[in-house]
Amino acid sequence: MSVSNDLYPNASAPLERKESGVPHVRKGLKVESYNDFDPLKHVIVGIADNQYIPEACPASNEKIPADSPMRGGKAGRRTQESIDQANECLNGFAKLLEGRGIIVDRPGAVDWNARVTTPDFSISSGFGVMPPRDCLLTMGKSILMAPMSFRSRYFEYLAFTDLLREYFESDQECLIEQAPRPRLSDDSFRMDYVAAYEFLSDEETMARSCRKEYSTRETDILFDAADVMRLGKDIFVQHGLTTNLAGIRWIKRKYEPQGYRVHTLSFKDNHPIHIDATFCPLRPGLMLLNPHRPLFDGQREIFEKNDWQIVEAAQPAWDTPPPLCYSSTWLSMNTLILDHKTVCVEATETAQMEQFDKLGFNVLPVNLRDAYAFGGGLHCATADVLREGTCEDYFA
Ligand code: ARG
């Protein structure tokens, strides 16, 4: 990764290692988490430094609305002003968590001011170090780096390697793992779909999505960690744009011998990418569902049979996402749960806060909207390191 040049005068230095030599050992550090709602004790919060808008790639094209300036043309470093504003939000969020006794770690700042090139592809730049939820999958005492489908995110794990080394050295039971690296060559994608995508109507993209035809093919093993919803012994994985069936088979083959049960979920969603603004566990027995993204037939059964209640999320406060944002307004339901009674919600999302209040939660408002464009909301912006509690069987 190179340093600043005329094109990107604001670019800063490449990734600096916190310290060289033997990784720091932190006494008492523990990695363990089995769900998104048990008492949170240690978490990673993303940073906005050096984030780039990469040129469109076959996987990202399908995600970005045709009329969005993010499609093609607009590649380059985000403005320093927007980076500073996003960092202000993320730092405020980290401070709030620390104020509640939660340990907060931040990733290293990679500068993506160089083409990302492998023998199979080349793209204008990397993406950033926000949101960590997409890259890191905490499964019990292990953290897995996911095989992501966006070319610009191919090397994103580099921002976390030093931190993960520390966890590995500090907790003798912790395992750091890497899923098989995908190739992401043109063969990994349906290039005809990618070429046609821009001209398809919403009805057509929805029809294709309902037929489970996405721009990704089955050539590589692909999944983003944010497509995986952990509920103790049961793991629910969204099949969609960022996770293919080979990815789900890999998750099954890896974790089922460890006692987990892996289920596939699909939603009626034009752009199914990451499950955490679509279907979110709130506490044992309670799920929040995006009212615009119903589950496929038959997929509610496992929840209903086990007396889980599925409630529809409140309407977002905003009609549109902020400028240069990849996500929809439904980041309103993308919250961070600190324990069975406490939830962090974006501060402008009044209806969502009220709904949580009625559901018996103590709501902590957090300003995060200015960081949305960097990859998502409060859940996306974090990755679990430690939650109290054990691996429960909620779906006997
Ligand atoms: N696909 C979601 C939406 O646009 C955004 C999910 C973002 N989640 C994440 N982990 N980055 O509604």
Side-chain angles (χ1 to χ4, degrees):
M1 272 141 260
S2 61
V3 285
S4 57
N5 61 25
D6 290 346
L7 255 185
Y8 304 119
N10 291 327
S12 51
L15 175 67
E16 275 177 42
R17 301 201 87 121
K18 271 211 226 147
E19 56 192 75
S20 52
V22 182
H24 185 59
V25 174
R26 282 195 260 168
K27 262 218 163 91
L29 186 149
K30 202 169 151 187
V31 173
E32 193 167 11
S33 171
Y34 299 99
N35 57 53
D36 276 320
F37 46 55
D38 278 350
L40 183 67
K41 296 287 160 193
H42 187 166
V43 72
I44 299 173
V45 172
I47 58 174
D49 301 48
N50 304 324
Q51 200 182 80
Y52 280 75
I53 297 174
E55 63 190 14
C57 93
S60 65
N61 240 29
E62 187 183 333
K63 167 65 186 151
I64 302 169
D67 57 357
S68 163
M70 304 205 62
R71 224 163 222 275
K74 188 89 191 181
R77 193 179 200 265
R78 287 187 188 262
T79 63
Q80 193 56 45
E81 195 191 354
S82 68
I83 291 175
D84 292 344
Q85 282 169 348
N87 271 335
E88 209 178 301
C89 290
L90 292 161
N91 295 344
F93 183 28
K95 217 165 161 191
L96 176 140
L97 297 172
E98 281 171 343
R100 300 186 67 92
I102 297 166
I103 301 170
V104 177
D105 285 334
R106 314 301 294 275
V110 180
D111 187 352
W112 299 111
N113 179 30
R115 290 195 74 80
V116 171
T117 301
T118 76
D120 287 310
F121 69 82
S122 177
I123 186 164
S124 62
S125 73
F127 180 72
V129 195
M130 211 333 248
R133 186 71 64 177
D134 302 356
C135 184
L136 301 180
L137 178 63
T138 311
M139 286 286 291
K141 298 178 180 191
S142 68
I143 300 183
L144 177 87
M145 293 171 267
M148 301 166 87
S149 58
F150 282 27
R151 288 173 171 171
S152 56
R153 306 189 75 177
Y154 194 74
F155 291 118
E156 200 162 307
Y157 70 96
L158 290 175
F160 303 103
T161 42
D162 289 355
L163 211 48
L164 297 178
R165 275 288 285 128
E166 266 183 45
Y167 297 169
F168 178 76
E169 293 304 335
S170 304
D171 177 354
Q172 296 304 306
E173 291 184 28
C174 161
L175 198 59
I176 304 303
E177 299 178 285
Q178 166 74 68
R181 302 287 287 149
R183 291 186 62 170
L184 307 184
S185 74
D186 284 1
D187 263 354
S188 306
F189 306 99
R190 288 176 213 232
M191 296 306 279
D192 54 337
Y193 188 171
V194 173
Y197 185 73
E198 212 168 324
F199 308 103
L200 301 178
S201 62
D202 282 354
E203 291 74 36
E204 178 59 17
T205 53
M206 183 62 103
R208 286 181 186 223
S209 178
C210 288
R211 290 199 301 270
K212 303 186 182 176
E213 284 172 28
Y214 310 114
S215 59
T216 37
R217 298 173 65 192
E218 293 295 327
T219 320
D220 283 321
I221 287 167
L222 298 174
F223 61 90
D224 276 12
D227 280 317
V228 182
M229 178 173 91
R230 306 159 308 137
L231 279 171
K233 282 198 175 304
D234 290 85
I235 307 300
F236 297 85
V237 189
Q238 171 173 246
H239 177 208
L241 173 57
T242 34
T243 293
N244 65 8
L245 293 172
I248 299 177
R249 275 203 303 284
W250 190 87
I251 293 172
K252 236 175 153 40
R253 224 175 277 175
K254 158 108 183 130
Y255 293 109
E256 287 199 336
Q258 298 177 28
Y260 293 100
R261 293 175 294 244
V262 176
H263 315 266
T264 307
L265 292 181
S266 304
F267 301 85
K268 291 175 190 146
D269 175 1
N270 280 38
H271 311 290
I273 167 170
H274 305 152
I275 198 166
D276 56 0
T278 298
F279 198 38
C280 308
L282 303 186
R283 63 180 174 233
L286 186 61
M287 298 294 303
L288 190 66
L289 177 65
N290 185 320
H292 285 198
R293 299 178 187 164
L295 279 152
F296 273 39
D297 291 346
Q299 297 195 338
R300 297 173 73 105
E301 271 168 25
I302 179 167
F303 294 92
E304 287 167 352
K305 265 208 258 161
N306 288 281
D307 296 326
W308 280 63
Q309 197 193 345
I310 300 178
V311 296
E312 291 196 345
Q315 279 301 309
W318 299 80
D319 292 334
T320 52
L324 301 181
C325 181
Y326 288 91
S327 307
S328 72
T329 52
W330 289 101
L331 289 181
S332 54
M333 60 181 286
N334 186 276
T335 64
L336 184 72
I337 298 189
L338 304 190
D339 58 51
H340 297 191
K341 284 193 159 61
T342 317
V343 60
C344 296
V345 183
E346 208 291 319
T348 59
E349 296 296 345
T350 41
Q352 192 53 72
M353 288 197 277
E354 265 168 40
Q355 183 182 28
F356 274 112
D357 188 55
K358 288 198 186 115
L359 288 168
F361 281 89
N362 173 24
V363 178
L364 307 177
V366 178
N367 289 321
L368 206 86
R369 192 169 155 89
D370 284 343
Y372 276 7
F374 289 73
L378 293 155
H379 188 259
C380 317
T382 54
D384 281 27
V385 180
L386 178 66
R387 284 185 191 263
E388 272 175 7
T390 49
C391 187
E392 299 284 321
D393 194 345
Y394 302 108
F395 301 92

